[in-house]
């Protein structure tokens, strides 16, 4: 476990407590194995989830981490030819994962980061997910908080309207601001080299115009009460999806009686799910799932 300490918040009359739990053994869990589907966000390759997959597998889960449509098997190949992701939007991404899930036989647990966290919420309210952990999820429609850091992180895409139909890659400096600002620069640069890929511009344009667009692809039915549990994770130093944005999303869910929780990691940035402190978030997600019998 790392030294990062989350701040527990009282939510839906439930206080998240961070303590050692009596976790079922791997042998017990193997008899009730559940699938966990991991969904990455913009500018990151699906291989970012490999440590999570290995960790969840040891705890008795079957895992999948398929990339977005058009994404190649490796970051290097995707960088060399990202044309398959040109024009890809939130609905395209969501529908592709819904189609994958339809072939699984039962809704999996879904863990998503950034735009992957937004897609995971859409899958949850559509009944395609048994439960969702959304880590620094991109803003859903109805979130009206806009910060300078969010705008600056989005600037490489939103600065040119033509990027809506292009893919855009982040430079190491842009990545360090948007993802690695809470890390030593050397670690940020290593992550950039290892998992960063060009991303389609369209999702950012869809998110930025959501509150002015009827039927926006970022719309999520936050009032639905018959969905599975949802855990929102926020990072206090996140430049791309600031914690205040995640808290605003949580407030939109307050009209629902469904199980919804929020936890914030004050010293983490947007890279929290796949930098050297990833295990803190992974263990918190596991504990949350176990407490729900999942």
């Amino acid at each position: 476990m790392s030294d990062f300490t989350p701040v527990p918040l009282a939510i839906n009359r439930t206080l998240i407590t961070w303590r050692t739990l009596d976790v079922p053994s791997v042998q017990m869990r193997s008899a009730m194995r559940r699938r966990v589907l991991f969904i990455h966000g913009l500018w990151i390759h699906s291989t970012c989830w490999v440590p999570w997959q290995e960790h969840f597998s040891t705890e008795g889960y079957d895992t999948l981490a398929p990339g977005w449509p058009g994404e190649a098997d490796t970051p290097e190949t995707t960088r060399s030819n990202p044309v398959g992701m040109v024009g890809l939007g939130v609905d395209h991404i969501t529908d592709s994962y819904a189609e994958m899930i339809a072939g699984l036989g039962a809704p999996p647990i879904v863990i998503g980061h950034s735009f992957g966290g937004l897609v995971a919420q859409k899958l949850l309210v559509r009944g395609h997910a048994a439960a969702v952990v959304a880590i620094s999820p991109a803003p859903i429609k109805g979130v009206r908080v806009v910060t300078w850091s969010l705008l600056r992180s989005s600037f490489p895409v939103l600065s040119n309207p033509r990027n809506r139909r292009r893919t855009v890659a982040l430079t190491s400096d842009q990545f360090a601001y948007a993802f690695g600002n809470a890390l030593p620069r050397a670690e940020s640069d290593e992550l950039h080299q290892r998992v960063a890929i060009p991303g389609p511009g369209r999702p950012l344009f869809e998110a930025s115009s959501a509150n002015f667009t009827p039927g926006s692809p970022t719309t999520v039915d936050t009032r639905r009460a018959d969905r599975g549990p949802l855990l929102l994770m926020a990072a206090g130093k996140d430049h791309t999806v600031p914690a205040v944005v995640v808290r605003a999303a949580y407030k939109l869910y307050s009209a629902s009686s469904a199980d919804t929780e929020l936890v914030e990691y004050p010293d983490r940035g947007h890279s929290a799910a796949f930098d050297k402190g990833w295990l803190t978030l992974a263990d918190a997600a596991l504990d949350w799932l176990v407490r729900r019998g999942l």
Side-chain angles (χ1 to χ4, degrees):
M1 298 289 288
S2 74
D3 294 330
F4 294 110
T5 303
V7 174
L9 300 173
I11 314 161
N12 275 11
R13 300 175 301 280
T14 301
L15 178 66
I16 303 176
T17 57
W18 300 94
R19 56 187 175 83
T20 301
L21 299 172
D22 294 325
V23 181
S25 68
V26 173
Q27 290 79 11
M28 291 174 60
R29 297 284 293 280
S30 64
M32 52 179 185
R33 291 181 78 92
R34 296 214 61 157
R35 284 193 176 95
V36 179
L37 174 67
F38 295 96
I39 306 177
H40 66 81
L42 191 64
W43 292 310
I44 300 296
H45 193 267
S46 59
T47 51
C48 70
W49 292 116
V50 169
W52 286 69
Q53 290 184 268
E54 293 174 349
H55 189 48
F56 271 65
S57 292
T58 64
E59 294 296 331
Y61 294 90
D62 292 323
T63 69
L64 306 90
W68 289 7
E71 180 181 317
D73 290 341
T74 67
E76 294 79 12
T77 307
T78 307
R79 291 178 200 132
S80 66
N81 185 22
V83 68
M85 292 188 289
V86 170
L88 194 66
V90 172
D91 278 341
H92 298 91
I93 300 165
T94 304
D95 290 345
S96 72
Y97 283 102
E99 185 176 350
M100 292 178 201
I101 290 169
L104 297 179
I109 296 159
V110 179
I111 298 178
H113 172 254
S114 196
F115 268 100
L118 188 158
V119 169
Q121 292 172 77
K122 289 172 69 69
L123 293 170
L124 182 67
V125 299
R126 292 182 185 180
H128 298 309
V132 158
V133 178
I135 305 166
S136 293
I140 60 177
K141 182 173 181 176
V143 171
R144 301 184 183 279
V145 178
V146 179
T147 68
W148 167 247
S149 70
L150 186 155
L151 291 174
R152 181 175 169 182
S153 297
S154 304
F155 187 76
V157 172
L158 299 181
S159 58
N160 186 345
R162 294 182 180 179
N163 286 337
R164 185 182 181 91
R165 294 177 176 83
R166 296 174 175 171
T167 59
V168 178
L170 296 184
T171 67
S172 58
D173 286 343
Q174 290 167 340
F175 185 90
Y177 181 83
F179 285 82
N181 62 292
L183 305 175
R185 181 57 189 261
E187 184 179 354
S188 176
D189 288 347
E190 187 275 330
L191 282 175
H192 179 259
Q193 182 178 14
R194 177 162 55 86
V195 298
I197 58 173
R202 185 171 177 178
L204 273 175
F205 283 94
E206 291 174 337
S208 65
S209 63
N211 291 324
F212 311 100
T213 306
S216 166
T218 68
T219 301
V220 174
D221 182 5
T222 56
R223 294 177 175 271
R224 184 165 180 175
D226 60 344
R227 59 164 173 80
L230 170 63
L231 173 63
L232 299 170
M233 290 185 173
K237 293 186 176 180
D238 196 324
H239 280 170
T240 300
V241 185
V244 65
V245 172
V246 184
R247 290 195 294 267
Y250 167 73
K251 290 180 182 178
L252 293 176
Y253 283 102
S254 62
S256 170
S257 59
D259 182 358
T260 308
E261 293 189 0
L262 168 68
V263 65
E264 181 173 337
Y265 297 84
D267 297 324
R268 306 302 298 276
H270 200 58
S271 66
F274 49 88
D275 61 30
K276 289 181 179 178
W278 67 271
L279 187 58
T280 297
L281 276 66
D283 280 341
L286 280 167
D287 287 351
W288 182 80
L289 289 168
V290 169
R291 284 187 279 118
R292 280 152 183 78
L294 295 170

